Amino acid sequence: MLLSEQDQVLSYNGEVLVFQLSKPKHAEEAEDKAMNLYVKRMAFNRDTKLFDQKSSGVFSMGASHSKIEIICCSCTTDSRTGIILPCILMKKRKRNSVKYFLLLLHSSNQFEPSFFFKLDYELKEDIRLFAGPSLLWRHANKLFYISSNTRVVQSAPVHLSSVVWTGEIVGEGTVVLGIRTAFLPETEGSDGFSVSDRAIWGSEFFGYTIQSQKFLTGTCFMPHAYSRVVSSVYVCRSERLRKQLRISLVAITHKNQLIWFQNGTPKGVCELPYEKPRLVKPALTSSSDLLFAVSFASGNSCVIQRRDSLQVASKWQKVKCVLVDDFIGSGSEQLLLLFKDDSNADILSTFKITDLGEVNYSSDINYKYDVPAAEGLQENGLFTVRALETRLQAGWTSVRELQQHLRLQKRVILESCRALRDLVEGRTHILPNSKEVKCKRWARSLLNSAKPFVEGAAINHLPLLLEGLVSLWDDVENPPDSLSKETSSASEVPEHFTEELWQRVVGDSLVVGVKLTESFCLSLSDVSLSLVMDQDFSSVSPIIKCQSKIIKLNKAFSALAVSSSQIEPPPKKMKLDLDRKNDLQKEFLKSSSRIQLDGAKTVTAVTSLSPLLAFHRVCCVVLLHARKQNNQNDSLQQSKKITVLCGKILLSLEDISNGRYSIKMLRDNSYCIGSMEDILAVLAVSVRFSFQIVSCDCTLTPVSSWLMGEMECTPFKECQDNIFCHKAGNVHGTIFNWTLKNPFEGVLTIFCRNLTVLFQCLHSLTRVLPPSCSVKLLRSGSRGVLTEHLALALEKEMLTLKNSLFLKETKAENSLTWRNESGKKINNAPLASLLDTEEGVQQFRKKLQNEREESVRSMNQTMNGALYQKIALKIAEAQLSSDMIVWRLAKS
Amino acid sequence: MKRRRGPGPEPEPEAEPEPDRGPERGCLRTWAAHSRALVERWTTARCGGEARRQLRDEFRELLLSIRGLPAAVPALPLELTVLYNSLLFTVGASDSAVKGEAKGIRQGLLRVLEACGACGEDLGMEELWEKVLQEVTVEELQAPLHRLGALQAAWWLAASRLGSVAGLLQLLSTAEDLGRAHCSEGQNKLLAMIKAWQVPPEEVSLPLVQSAKDLKEILCTAAAFLQGLQELEAGNFPAALSLLQEAAGGFCSKNILAQIYTCLGCCAQRMGKPQTALQHLKRALQVDFQCLPALSHVAAVYHKLGETDAELQALTLLYEALGKNPPAAASSSPYFLMRTEVLVHTPLLTSLLRHHHPSEVKYLLAQRCLQDGRVADAVEHYLDFLSLLQEGLQQQVPLDGSSALPRIPEVFLEAASALEQAGRHQDAITVCEEVISRTTDLIPRVLRVEERLEQTESSLPEPELVGGFLSQKKESMCCLAWRTAGYLQQGWAWAKLGESKEAVTQFSRCLNDLLRVQLHGSGVKQTENLQPEVEVLQKIRLLSLIGRGTQFLELGRNKEALLDFQHSLQISPGDPAAASYLVQVLWKMNRKEEAAAQWLKFSQSSPGEDGQQPGQGRPLPLYLVSCLEQAVFPHSESLARSIQDFLGAAAQDTPS
């Protein structure tokens, strides 16, 4: 407590002690008069709301006053009795040395000289009184101390730059917390966050125990980083838990912060309202709040409250000093603020006692808020409640501790039971990892989804790719021995059905492709390729196991190239709901027909290359199998199985070594250049997955920027919908197709070599997608398309049923198709609008009734067996197809 | 952390603590862990509201502790990252526009300079960035500084400081980037620069609450949108269109996309491409149906196109939508902290996206129906509107200047006009009575228009006072116009009911009130400011004179009728209705020569004047239109025939 004036104040047991050196009346008297040290004990009177003097004492020193000064005073433990007493450090200047002496003040107002020592320099820095009474100070970056027991000045073997705290630590006695420049072991200096604080900030804390003269690590107080900024510390609590020091403290820094540390880590920060904080003191007030009073060099003070977080609760200016004690005798602590007052000499003339709660006394009469007369009684009640509250809290804490203990006990018992059981049964029980199981299941379902659908995907308007992993050759109904017969039948088929035959080598696979002409495609279904070895190797089956796929690429360029802004579109009438339905249907028809008409299809066969290479040179016949239909509406039964000889391919190791059939994908500016065959070959060997990406909140531009940016994709010049990934590494060669339905929904199709690549892509994608996005695997076309298909299939099924029932023996095939058409017309258009109104429903009901009656009438007719068989087959077929779609829908 | 031991044997007593013992928990590591934990909490929960504010506070506190220590280069990447996250949370938790200078960024830059041993306290933000980016060459600091730069760009963008943004991007980009930006000529420079800026890769050890890549995309959209709006305001429509289209292709929320489409629609409309405008507006509604301003723009476009059916449909839909969902305040996206919404705020956008009040829409419906002659619908809408008014004026009518509503008395008069046209004469009279009774106290006894004005202008030097005087005068004239129009309509209504005496009374009241205005001078060189009001008053006078004249005719008081018609011709020489009535009266009074002479004079001069009148005349207030129609002379053909017969006969009589 360094005050500029000679008066010193100290709080002790709820009283304020004022120490004063006797002042000379006149200047000339100063030389020869003996100096006296006076002490006044002041206590707060709650009635007058003023400080009254209780008693006083005096200590006479025989020297002229100019040479005697009070250095500081504090309350410390007297080691002889263990009683805390006020003590005062005095300085007496001699000619070439300075004598310091310490006085203890007893309750009888008697001063007792404790010890003295002489120095040839003046104490200036970090002077602290502590238990003993003892004294320490810093001089020339060294630490010195003396105690009443030893009465000899000792020094600690340390170079330090400052002392931030001195006090008792459990089990260590008096500890000095200091700061010194860090000296670093050679090993430090690695990268990242492992760089130690000392290496960064260049100084460190150290603890030094006076009694045992050893060092404590500074990190149990605070991280070393703070050694650069901390100016004062108050240790609130220290305890030993399993031999480890646990310390809670509060520190103030040059950066104008107050920081609360627990076990060496910062737990809370608060910015201080003024510059240059000097000292921090805690106060435990009645509302069991912990307050920290911080005083600043400028004479300002503030109080920080610790509730949920640290907050500045109040601040004052022109404060001489802040004392903490129970001045009003309420059982908890208050702050006593002594203000600077120029006019009045008495130190206790302007003051304020507060706990930032109910207690608030001020010397300024204007401020005073008198407590009502019945205060005593009320206050007593308040104290009782408070005491009860404290007891309740203590009780609660102990109950909680007990509960915790019980829980621990239970767990230990459980654990030991388990161990015992395992021991008896002689096994180690491992719980299955549920996460792993899930993962596996998902991967399997992904694999399943890659399985083929030939028909359904044909109307999938998204990426126009038809997959057909058609079964092996020998699985087909036709036995292989019919080969000769089939090749003969191949001659029937006109030449121009196939446009081109090509082969490519992709990795370990051989891809053989046959491009079909458009007109031919239309009349075919169930198309597949097979490869048959031309040479005769007696030991090997001539049929090569391969997978067939039908791939169709959209050559169309994106329509976005034409800027729509330049031309004003023709005016369009607003469509009413009724029209829209027809419109939709038209559109749907259009889109489905586009698929049928647009571009040529290519059938590919993929087979493993290495087995073939064993023959060194091998020649294969490429056969195309399909069902040819005469009429669009013909069912399976009417279609004819055909086999077309497409040509021969020659495969030699030499060619492959020369890279004749290898694919070339070149990056040219913003495009990827590769021949159509190359692209088809890559698509044929890839596994295809479609994902529907829906964002509920924001646009999906991150996907395309991910494709173009992170994945380094470029679109194919030939078919710009598909883009090729140039990113080095595993994902290189993956082909994507990103189709936006609207700014918030799109389908991403990934053609990848294997599942690992897929997972890599997805992992990378999920990081760039907005968090509100949902990504769904489309197993077999999008749900919307499938639903439409289902509707159509069900309709067809119903019509088939209906038509066959009306069918008379005499009726020919063409009538069936006619009915089909007309029935469609009736059923589609007005249904929805009919159901809107009551009459509509009535009308509809009537119509249904009629139809039912008609069908009942027709039921009674007889039918010949062959016709019945035909009908039954047809119905079964229709049902089969709708069942297929239902199955797919259920899976998606 | 240090001791993880099972319930095995008692741990051997640890060695006494030594000053330099093993690795310790440094501050840097603690902070990094804390920062990671906070980011993790955010990415897993993506919370909003209170939890988000709590996270913001925790980030702030972490930053506070980091700043509690002297700046050091090894700690700066973490500090700058925490600053970045904290600033994003400041934006994300406040749910309002980014405003003001980001003090945090400034402090961060000063800390960087502090660590490098420089200072820049007195520099402005732009210079500070320049200094930091040019002088700080520490490799580890580049990525965090660049990310912070993106945030700064966002802040400046929100303040429409595009120049500062461009300058910063210039500093952030390498020469190579800038070269790429220049390659694509013709494009917007700022956009090209944002696009060319290379996002520093995200580091695993320093996770972000929103990636810099996201930020870049948002900056792109916001910059395009903002500049598009600026061009739109400046009238450079093609430039605005291309910028807005660029914005529409960018990364943004549904909300913003709908707004961009709305702006595109407005832009196309101003370019004179209504169909394109309609398409854009339709897209806006498809994206977000809550974007109701788009619907009101649709109505406006149809209005321009003259497609009244479509316009009325759009307005009806708008009214319904407004009634169902009171436009909620833009809800914060739960997933993003920085969004385009908080960056783009211009007065133009606010005015384009002004939400119409239901009462305004109702009025528009009524007015459009009345203008289009759909009287029955108009009556319904007007009555709805009036009942809306009764529910409470303040809640129902927006009182800002941009409202589509005219003054309330005019709405009343229009309603009366609609009722009148629908044949509900009594109702029309009642509504007019309301207007008349409300304006009684608002009209001065005498209103001198011209001379006084000139006097005041010369005597009072302060223009404000003159202005105030003028506006007060104007207000009085408006009140007078409403009141007299009320009488006028009542007169016509009574006339329709066959109560000629009552009608004459009303017309006379109207004319009496009109006498309070004293027009000095010829009446042609009026003060510009009061011209429209004077014109309206003259029209009312004309119509009521004609009206009273016709009623006198009905009552057989031909002389008085003649006087009225003559008066009306004085007010508006060559008015066809007045002239025809005058001829008729003269005819009736058997002053056939005079009638014929008048008729000839009128029929000769009329074509020229007919051509003149619509050109000079301002559009008449809607509430006077019906009166004008009623004042049209009904039997012009028969009168013309009889006069021609008479003239023919006269010609025969007088041999030439």
Side-chain angles (χ1 to χ4, degrees), chain A residues 242 408 411-413 415-416 419, chain B residues 3-11:
Chain A
R242 284 193 240 109
L408 198 72
R411 215 163 62 205
V412 168
I413 290 168
E415 277 296 323
S416 31
Chain B
R3 297 149 50 92
R4 271 191 62 85
R5 276 188 204 150
E10 188 67 19

Side-chain angles (χ1 to χ4, degrees), chain B residues 453 462-475:
Chain B
L453 270 178
E462 292 107 317
E464 294 149 35
L465 256 174
V466 178
F469 190 71
L470 252 176
S471 68
Q472 198 190 339
K473 185 140 268 189
K474 197 168 179 168
E475 181 67 23

Side-chain angles (χ1 to χ4, degrees), chain A residues 70 75 119-120 137 153 183 185 262 408 515 559 564 591 605 634 812:
Chain A
I70 305 176
C75 296
L119 291 173
D120 51 358
W137 66 93
V153 175
F183 60 98
Q262 244 171 343
L408 198 72
K515 192 176 170 189
S564 54
S591 66
D634 266 355

Side-chain angles (χ1 to χ4, degrees), chain A residues 308-334:
Chain A
D308 304 336
S309 60
L310 293 164
Q311 287 166 338
V312 177
S314 189
K315 50 189 182 182
W316 302 275
Q317 288 179 329
K318 285 193 178 176
V319 178
K320 207 183 290 172
C321 73
V322 183
L323 299 176
V324 176
D325 210 327
D326 182 11
F327 298 103
I328 60 167
S330 71
S332 61
E333 289 180 326
Q334 303 96 40

Side-chain angles (χ1 to χ4, degrees), chain B residues 125-131 133-134 146 149-150 152-153 156-157 161-174 178 189-191 193-194 197:
Chain B
M125 239 7 230
E126 280 95 340
E127 292 109 66
L128 196 59
W129 268 107
E130 196 172 336
K131 184 170 171 136
L133 289 173
Q134 278 170 0
H146 276 225
Q152 176 71 69
W156 276 335
L157 212 56
R161 286 168 64 180
L162 299 181
S164 303
V165 178
L168 179 61
L169 283 167
Q170 194 114 34
L171 290 171
L172 288 177
S173 310
T174 58
L178 287 177
K189 199 176 157 222
L190 181 63
L191 278 184
M193 278 171 86
I194 297 177
W197 174 58

Side-chain angles (χ1 to χ4, degrees), chain A residues 180 183 192-198 200-201 204 214-217 219 223-226 228-229 242-244 253 255 257 263 265-271 309 564-572 574 695-699 701-702 705 710 743-744 768 770-772, chain B residues 2-3 13-14 16-22 24-32 36 46 61 64-65 67-72 74-75 78 111 114 205-206 213-214 217 241 245 249-254 257 261 272-276 279 287 302 313 333 335-336:
Chain A
R180 61 177 173 188
F183 60 98
F193 299 131
S194 56
V195 182
S196 75
D197 291 352
R198 283 181 291 187
I200 298 170
W201 284 281
E204 64 178 2
K214 62 179 187 182
F215 285 97
L216 296 174
T217 173
T219 43
H224 288 308
Y226 286 92
R228 281 284 298 276
V229 288
R242 284 193 240 109
K243 292 210 169 177
Q244 256 199 328
T253 72
K255 291 269 176 184
Q257 288 186 334
N263 309 328
T265 49
K267 291 290 180 203
V269 194
C270 173
E271 268 197 285
S309 60
S564 54
S565 63
Q566 297 308 314
I567 319 142
E568 170 85 348
K572 228 165 103 183
M574 217 185 212
S695 162
C696 63
D697 184 48
C698 44
T699 52
T701 48
S705 56
E710 204 177 319
F744 304 98
V768 298
S772 56
Chain B
K2 283 181 202 158
R3 297 149 50 92
E14 266 183 289
E16 283 302 304
E18 289 294 314
D20 293 311
R21 190 180 48 129
E24 73 218 8
R25 278 177 300 171
C27 276
L28 203 52
R29 215 180 297 174
T30 321
W31 293 331
R36 261 198 303 275
R46 300 262 171 194
E61 191 159 311
L64 195 67
S65 354
R67 282 186 174 160
L69 283 174
L78 178 72
R111 294 269 297 177
E114 181 194 328
S205 54
L206 299 170
K213 228 183 275 172
D214 269 4
E217 303 254 359
L241 200 71
Q245 263 165 350
F251 177 65
C252 57
S253 66
K254 265 185 185 172
L257 191 64
Y261 277 131
K273 292 178 175 173
Q275 298 301 332
T276 317
Q279 280 190 355
V287 168
Y302 280 127
Q313 261 183 31
S333 152
Y335 302 111
F336 291 111

Side-chain angles (χ1 to χ4, degrees), chain A residues 563-580:
Chain A
S563 82
S564 54
S565 63
Q566 297 308 314
I567 319 142
E568 170 85 348
K572 228 165 103 183
K573 282 263 155 74
M574 217 185 212
K575 282 198 181 70
L576 291 173
D577 258 4
L578 276 176
D579 302 320
R580 200 169 293 157

Side-chain angles (χ1 to χ4, degrees), chain B residues 278-342:
Chain B
L278 284 178
Q279 280 190 355
H280 285 306
L281 293 171
K282 186 177 151 201
R283 222 165 284 160
L285 288 170
Q286 275 173 348
V287 168
D288 178 12
F289 192 72
Q290 282 313 303
C291 190
L292 294 177
L295 203 55
S296 52
H297 284 293
V298 166
V301 172
Y302 280 127
H303 180 64
K304 268 268 171 63
L305 285 173
E307 301 208 17
T308 314
D309 280 329
E311 186 198 348
L312 290 178
Q313 261 183 31
L315 285 175
T316 315
L317 193 62
L318 178 60
Y319 183 73
E320 269 174 39
L322 281 171
K324 260 176 210 155
N325 276 342
S331 62
S332 68
S333 152
Y335 302 111
F336 291 111
L337 297 170
M338 176 65 85
R339 288 160 295 138
T340 318
E341 283 90 325
V342 298

